[in-house]
Amino acid sequence: MEAEKLRDIVLNAQQPYVITKKKLPWNCFELTLEEWCHLFDSSSKDLTPFAGSTVSSGCSPQWERQRTEVRMKMSDICKLSSSVPERWNSFSYRNIHELPEVCRRGVNFAPFGFPEVEDDVTFWVGSANAHTPCHYDTYGCNIVVQVYGRKSWILLPPDAKLTSTRIPFEESSVYSKENFYSPSSYAQLVGVENQVYHTVLEPGMALIVPPKWWHFVENLEPSLNFNTWLSLEKDVDSHISECITKILVQDICNGLPKDMHQFVLNPNEDEILSQSSIDESYEILNYLLNLKRTNKQLCSDLKRYPSGYISSDEFGKLVEACESESV
């Protein structure tokens, strides 16, 4: 499949799209998971901080703040049972440069038509049952490449009747209150079952997640995947909305006792309450509003891509052409 055609698919997909026959020249595909983990451990002086929780049911999703940390070797995730372990562990949502060079060698998104994407790449590694609560990303579209293990993706369209929440707050993520991992009652999911798109990614497969599609993701066995988010030119309104939300959350937290902040913020957002972060939020908002008023594009080091530039008929023909090439 030609990279240029695949690039057009990524930037114009209105529904999730799975790529099943794309051979990538990444070094990790020449290794087993056990070999990759051994290389990681050999290059790391310290044990890896895995976050996780017990496998249990409940009314609410297993939010990040409820997880606990254990330090262990990367190789230990291969030793955990792939059935139903007492605890799942995840070392995820990390920039690729946190990996030893030997574990990330060759990883880039040139085969998908984005040769410039080398540093803005994230990896997700964990045991069976490691998962991310259902949410959607407020910016851009997402390319996910499965390297090891199998990973379940449940996706729903932006207009799905889910109960959105900004608590816990994480910038660029809108969470669903519905507990897809261990629902106490399936009644809470009635009404969206006919909108569900489900796929299980296996090694070598890739998934295109269109803008603002809800997704609940869970490892079915010890797994590793890489992904990148592509910022789009049409994201300006989303940036403004997200910046206003952030300012409101900062203001709310400043009116609460410090011991209450943990109930409002995701752990990775604790730093937003500093005065410098608050001042920066207002500066960014004024900048974005000025762009909106003057109808200018965002100016930054981050490349932003056009999207939706081909019709649905053209997209269908492009998909047919690409799939016939891969047969």
Side-chain angles (χ1 to χ4, degrees), residues 30-95:
E30 304 299 322
L31 306 168
T32 65
L33 175 58
E34 290 77 7
E35 291 170 336
W36 185 88
C37 290
H38 177 71
L39 286 175
F40 182 99
D41 291 333
S42 299
S43 304
S44 179
K45 297 179 181 179
D46 302 316
L47 295 177
T48 302
F50 282 83
S53 183
T54 56
V55 179
S56 61
S57 60
C59 297
S60 300
Q62 292 185 337
W63 303 118
E64 284 188 40
R65 187 70 73 174
Q66 298 170 331
R67 302 172 190 174
T68 56
E69 181 182 294
V70 295
R71 290 184 174 267
M72 60 186 190
K73 293 181 178 180
M74 183 64 70
S75 300
D76 289 339
I77 66 167
C78 302
K79 302 174 184 177
L80 299 175
S81 169
S82 60
S83 55
V84 183
E86 293 183 358
R87 172 192 166 92
W88 57 264
N89 295 285
S90 178
F91 184 61
S92 301
Y93 198 11
R94 305 273 180 158
N95 184 269

Side-chain angles (χ1 to χ4, degrees), residues 243 246-254 271-285:
C243 194
K246 184 177 180 179
I247 290 172
L248 289 173
V249 170
Q250 290 171 322
D251 186 54
I252 289 170
C253 284
N254 279 337
E271 298 303 317
I272 72 167
L273 300 182
S274 67
Q275 188 58 50
S276 60
S277 178
I278 294 172
D279 293 341
E280 181 183 37
S281 296
Y282 280 101
E283 290 176 5
I284 293 174
L285 179 60

Side-chain angles (χ1 to χ4, degrees), residues 252-269:
I252 289 170
C253 284
N254 279 337
L256 294 174
K258 288 186 177 180
D259 60 355
M260 295 293 291
H261 294 171
Q262 61 178 314
F263 299 105
V264 180
L265 303 174
N266 239 15
N268 59 342
E269 295 291 351

Side-chain angles (χ1 to χ4, degrees), residues 78-298:
C78 302
K79 302 174 184 177
L80 299 175
S81 169
S82 60
S83 55
V84 183
E86 293 183 358
R87 172 192 166 92
W88 57 264
N89 295 285
S90 178
F91 184 61
S92 301
Y93 198 11
R94 305 273 180 158
N95 184 269
I96 192 172
H97 288 288
E98 292 188 46
L99 290 175
E101 191 278 334
V102 67
C103 291
R104 55 183 164 86
R105 189 173 298 160
V107 175
N108 66 64
F109 283 78
F112 297 90
F114 302 93
E116 66 279 7
V117 178
E118 293 182 320
D119 298 323
D120 194 18
V121 176
T122 306
F123 71 92
W124 308 71
V125 61
S127 67
N129 298 116
H131 65 280
T132 303
C134 184
H135 69 286
Y136 71 81
D137 307 313
T138 56
Y139 312 134
C141 60
N142 189 358
I143 306 175
V144 183
V145 178
Q146 193 70 20
V147 180
Y148 305 121
R150 295 178 303 128
K151 196 161 194 171
S152 169
W153 283 74
I154 295 175
L155 303 105
L156 296 104
D159 61 354
K161 302 302 182 182
L162 295 176
T163 309
S164 61
T165 179
R166 294 315 303 263
I167 304 299
F169 174 76
E170 178 179 272
E171 187 173 1
S172 80
S173 296
V174 176
Y175 286 102
S176 165
K177 287 186 177 181
E178 284 77 18
N179 183 3
F180 280 75
Y181 179 63
S182 53
S184 56
S185 169
Y186 286 100
Q188 63 180 317
L189 303 179
V190 171
V192 298
E193 68 274 16
N194 293 329
Q195 296 178 285
V196 169
Y197 180 98
H198 179 239
T199 188
V200 175
L201 291 188
E202 298 185 1
M205 296 172 65
L207 171 67
I208 310 305
V209 182
K212 292 184 171 60
W213 269 69
W214 295 94
H215 46 284
F216 168 75
V217 190
E218 180 183 1
N219 288 353
L220 301 181
E221 56 194 22
S223 299
L224 167 71
N225 68 268
F226 291 95
N227 83 300
T228 187
W229 287 279
L230 302 172
S231 293
L232 306 176
E233 290 178 353
K234 65 180 182 180
D235 283 342
V236 177
D237 286 343
S238 295
H239 277 280
I240 292 174
S241 176
E242 197 65 14
C243 194
I244 292 173
T245 301
K246 184 177 180 179
I247 290 172
L248 289 173
V249 170
Q250 290 171 322
D251 186 54
I252 289 170
C253 284
N254 279 337
L256 294 174
K258 288 186 177 180
D259 60 355
M260 295 293 291
H261 294 171
Q262 61 178 314
F263 299 105
V264 180
L265 303 174
N266 239 15
N268 59 342
E269 295 291 351
D270 287 339
E271 298 303 317
I272 72 167
L273 300 182
S274 67
Q275 188 58 50
S276 60
S277 178
I278 294 172
D279 293 341
E280 181 183 37
S281 296
Y282 280 101
E283 290 176 5
I284 293 174
L285 179 60
N286 288 329
Y287 168 73
L288 292 170
L289 290 173
N290 184 58
L291 289 179
K292 183 72 174 178
R293 283 191 294 266
T294 57
N295 198 30
K296 294 181 179 179
Q297 296 294 332
L298 286 174

